[in-house]
């Protein structure tokens, strides 16, 4: 008797579940590409210049690339529209740079580095080095 009751309860549950389930044709699966994308690269050194930051980063598996990030992009007032933001490096992680793009064009860069300028990641660029692209509006980085 108990077996018959359990069997009929399972049968009723199955009928109710299948009646309430939507048909597979009701679901539309469409691939939609995101408008925003990002790339993270490991940072080896950040050189502080009077007009810009010179960032040396991992390019590929064994090459080193460098990019100039103008200081005018940074806003100390926590402006969400600033093109340059700094993030404190969490303990146990290597410094990295995040380049964010919207629809394939540069939007902003985030440097996740130690906050202490005494860290080995920070350095000072010679004032004799001329930085030609300190007034640029976009960042082109080669990975």
């Amino acid at each position: 008797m108990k077996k018959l009751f359990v069997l009929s309860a399972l049968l009723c549950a199955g009928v109710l579940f299948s009646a309430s389930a939507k048909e597979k044709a009701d679901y539309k699966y469409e691939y939609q590409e995101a408008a925003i994308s990002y790339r993270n690269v490991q940072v080896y050194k950040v050189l502080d210049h009077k007009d810009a930051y010179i960032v040396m980063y991992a390019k590929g598996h064994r090459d080193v690339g460098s990019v100039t990030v103008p200081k005018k992009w940074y806003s100390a007032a926590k402006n969400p529209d600033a093109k340059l933001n700094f993030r404190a490096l969490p303990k146990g992680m290597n410094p990295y740079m995040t380049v964010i793009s919207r629809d394939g064009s540069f939007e902003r860069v985030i440097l996740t580095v130690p906050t202490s300028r005494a860290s080995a990641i920070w350095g000072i660029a010679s004032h004799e080095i001329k930085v030609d692209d300190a007034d640029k509006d976009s960042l082109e980085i080669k990975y």
Side-chain angles (χ1 to χ4, degrees), residues 40-101:
N40 288 329
V41 292
Q42 183 177 356
V43 172
Y44 294 131
K45 196 81 166 166
V46 178
L47 299 176
D48 194 355
H49 188 269
K50 66 177 184 156
D51 298 324
Y53 296 103
I54 301 168
V55 181
M56 289 184 261
Y57 63 93
K59 180 179 169 184
H61 292 288
R62 58 185 177 156
D63 294 330
V64 176
S66 67
V67 67
T68 304
V69 180
K71 284 187 173 181
K72 71 176 186 173
W73 289 358
Y74 178 71
S75 173
K78 302 276 184 188
N79 182 2
D81 296 329
K83 287 186 177 185
L84 171 62
N85 290 317
F86 286 96
R87 228 179 349 206
L89 181 68
K91 193 172 188 173
M93 292 186 69
N94 292 326
Y96 63 96
M97 174 173 58
T98 304
V99 180
I100 301 172
S101 302

Side-chain angles (χ1 to χ4, degrees), residues 67-70 72-73 83 99-101 104-109 133-141:
V67 67
T68 304
V69 180
K72 71 176 186 173
W73 289 358
K83 287 186 177 185
V99 180
I100 301 172
S101 302
S105 62
F106 171 75
E107 185 168 300
R108 80 177 71 176
V109 61
D133 53 355
D135 289 333
K136 63 183 179 179
D137 291 326
S138 182
L139 182 74
E140 293 185 28
I141 185 169

